[in-house]
Amino acid sequence: MAEQHNEDPQQRELLRVCRIGRAQGLKGEVNVRVFTDEPEERFAPGSVLLTRDGREFTVAKSRKFKERWIVLFKGVADRNASEALNGTDLYVEPVYSDDDEDEGFYMEDLIGLEARIYESDDSSADADTAGSYVVAGKVTDVIDGPAQDLLQITEPSGAESLVPFVEEIVPEVDLEEGYLVLTPPSGLLQDR
C-alpha cells in the first residue's frame, strides 16, 4: 500500500494534486477530486503521490469517467482499503526549471502577493502604464471553486473578499515583484 517517505514532509514544499473521495467498486479504485492542471501526467501508472505525513501512493492505473478521475493505487486491493483513504489529500513536490521562460506558476505561489489596483484618468490605459496604484490588500488564500479558482483578498480594513481568478479581473501577476493587479467590478471588494 503506502510506503513511508524518508524526508520530513513538513520541511518540504508540496503541491496538492487531489483529494481521495469515495470508493469505486469492489477492487480498490477510488474517485478523486482533482486540483491539478495535469491529471493525465499525475495519474499516469507509476506516478508517486505523497501525503503530508510522508506516505507514498503509487498509481497502478487510472481512467477518466465523464468529469472525474478514478484511480487505483498499488497495494489498495479491496473496497475496505479504498474506503479507509476517503478524505486523504495527495501531493507532489514542485519542479522548477531555471531556464523556464514561460510565465507559469502554481496557485499556491499567489498567497502573500500584494493586490494592487492601478488608477488612471484614461479608462483605456494599460495597467503597465497607468502609473499610480492603491493597495487593495493581500492574497491570503486560494480556494478551489466549482467553476474557477478564487483568491481570498484580505483588505486593509481586515475585510475578506473572494475574487475570481480570471484574466478580466486579474490581468497581471508578477511573482518576482510580489504583486498582482486587480481590475475588480464595482462592489467586488468591500473597501472599494
Side-chain angles (χ1 to χ4, degrees):
M1 188 167 141
E3 297 175 15
Q4 194 68 24
H5 199 274
N6 294 336
E7 296 177 41
D8 180 2
Q10 301 300 324
Q11 301 301 315
R12 295 183 319 218
E13 178 183 356
L14 297 174
L15 299 172
R16 184 167 58 162
V17 172
C18 67
R19 175 173 294 142
I20 297 175
R22 62 181 173 78
Q24 175 72 30
L26 302 174
K27 297 182 180 177
E29 290 182 312
V30 293
N31 286 276
V32 296
R33 180 171 180 206
V34 177
F35 299 114
T36 178
D37 293 335
E38 304 163 329
E40 291 85 3
E41 178 183 336
R42 300 297 185 204
F43 303 134
S47 296
V48 177
L49 304 174
L50 309 169
T51 61
R52 280 256 179 230
D53 64 4
R55 293 178 293 157
E56 291 185 358
F57 288 84
T58 303
V59 176
K61 66 178 184 175
S62 66
R63 59 191 161 101
K64 186 173 182 183
F65 179 73
K66 296 184 179 176
E67 295 302 313
R68 60 189 168 130
W69 280 85
I70 299 170
V71 181
L72 176 66
F73 295 103
K74 289 183 182 177
V76 180
D78 60 32
R79 186 172 185 90
N80 289 337
S82 61
E83 285 177 346
L85 299 175
N86 193 343
T88 302
D89 286 327
L90 296 178
Y91 303 83
V92 294
E93 294 180 359
V95 177
Y96 297 104
S97 173
D98 292 338
D99 53 49
D100 201 0
E101 292 188 22
D102 69 6
E103 295 182 24
F105 53 83
Y106 295 105
M107 293 303 291
E108 288 83 358
D109 294 341
L110 302 177
I111 296 173
L113 294 184
E114 182 178 82
R116 299 178 178 178
I117 298 175
Y118 280 85
E119 299 183 331
S120 172
D121 294 333
D122 179 5
S123 61
S124 67
D126 193 341
D128 289 335
T129 60
S132 65
Y133 64 87
V134 295
V135 175
K138 186 175 190 175
V139 180
T140 53
D141 198 4
V142 176
I143 299 164
D144 303 304
Q148 77 258 334
D149 291 321
L150 300 169
L151 302 178
Q152 178 176 298
I153 306 291
T154 300
E155 300 176 53
S157 69
E160 293 180 343
S161 297
L162 294 178
V163 174
F165 187 66
V166 293
E167 190 171 357
E168 295 79 30
I169 299 174
V170 187
E172 180 183 349
V173 174
D174 191 328
L175 293 178
E176 285 186 23
E177 296 296 321
Y179 72 90
L180 54 79
V181 174
L182 297 179
T183 57
S186 179
L188 185 62
L189 297 175
Q190 295 180 34
D191 289 354
R192 295 196 55 85

